[in-house]
Amino acid sequence: NAALSTVDIKGKEYIDVSNRVKAFRMCYPGGCIETEMVSNENGLCIFRAKIFNEEGKLLATGTAYEKESSSFINKTSYIENCETSAVGRALGMAGFGIDTSIASAEEVQNAIHQQDDMKPVTKQNVNVLQELIKTLPEARAFYDNLLMAYNITDLAQLTAKQYGEILIEI
């Protein structure tokens, strides 16, 4: 583990999945990483990964889930990201790259991104949105539909991600 290169995320070091896979291949050249899509429904994917040594003994498992629209990359690659995350977690559970965390660098970066998307909009964001809506031909209907679509009573209840979606739509 000490020989694996790390990625600094907010002052803590993490090891990415590719380095965990390389380490596993060095230790177990004949070992096996097996993945299985457990579920893929309504834009939510779940993968399970299993790590086997050269004799076929199960060393560890890992499970991950991804939402299709949770990030820009996931809009096109949420299945691949989910599989990679499951492999990273399974390798972590098998002891690869865990000097600082079971979570891989990719997993932590994704979690931070999703948390940022859930932050509330700022007052400045709300003001910009209100001004943009006023320029639309059917501003009142758009505003009402917006509140209904996001199940809110005021634009200040939007998340940063929702705000971005609305700007793209406008």
Side-chain angles (χ1 to χ4, degrees):
N1 284 335
L4 298 175
S5 60
T6 61
V7 176
D8 182 284
I9 302 173
K10 296 192 174 196
K12 190 170 179 185
E13 297 297 317
Y14 295 90
I15 297 173
D16 63 23
V17 176
S18 64
N19 280 308
R20 289 179 181 197
V21 171
K22 286 178 190 175
F24 172 73
R25 294 288 179 217
M26 286 173 43
C27 293
Y28 298 100
C32 178
I33 300 172
E34 182 182 292
T35 62
E36 171 192 8
M37 185 184 299
V38 175
S39 176
N40 185 18
E41 296 179 18
N42 302 319
L44 180 65
C45 181
I46 301 173
F47 255 91
R48 181 171 298 117
K50 296 178 182 178
I51 308 300
F52 298 92
N53 68 11
E54 294 164 324
E55 291 77 40
K57 178 183 176 194
L58 180 66
L59 300 177
T61 64
T63 305
Y65 84 95
E66 291 285 343
K67 292 180 183 176
E68 182 175 13
S69 60
S70 65
S71 70
F72 181 74
I73 291 172
N74 273 9
K75 288 182 182 182
T76 58
S77 304
Y78 75 107
I79 294 171
E80 295 89 336
N81 283 343
C82 189
E83 183 176 36
T84 300
S85 293
V87 168
R89 291 195 61 76
L91 288 169
M93 296 303 283
F96 292 95
I98 60 166
D99 285 348
T100 59
S101 175
I102 295 289
S104 68
E106 295 90 344
E107 188 177 352
V108 172
Q109 288 168 331
N110 190 29
I112 290 169
H113 178 74
Q114 288 182 27
Q115 288 169 359
D116 287 345
D117 283 347
M118 297 310 292
K119 288 181 180 175
V121 292
T122 65
K123 185 160 179 59
Q124 182 181 2
N125 294 147
V126 172
N127 291 341
V128 167
L129 196 51
Q130 287 171 332
E131 290 303 313
L132 282 172
I133 291 171
K134 286 179 188 175
T135 67
L136 299 174
E138 296 182 18
R140 187 65 202 174
F142 183 84
Y143 179 80
D144 291 341
N145 288 337
L146 200 60
L147 297 180
M148 191 177 352
Y150 287 102
N151 196 26
I152 57 175
T153 57
D154 185 89
L155 293 178
Q157 295 172 308
L158 291 169
T159 65
K161 180 179 180 181
Q162 293 168 331
Y163 172 75
E165 291 170 353
I166 293 165
L167 288 181
I168 291 168
E169 187 176 329
I170 291 176

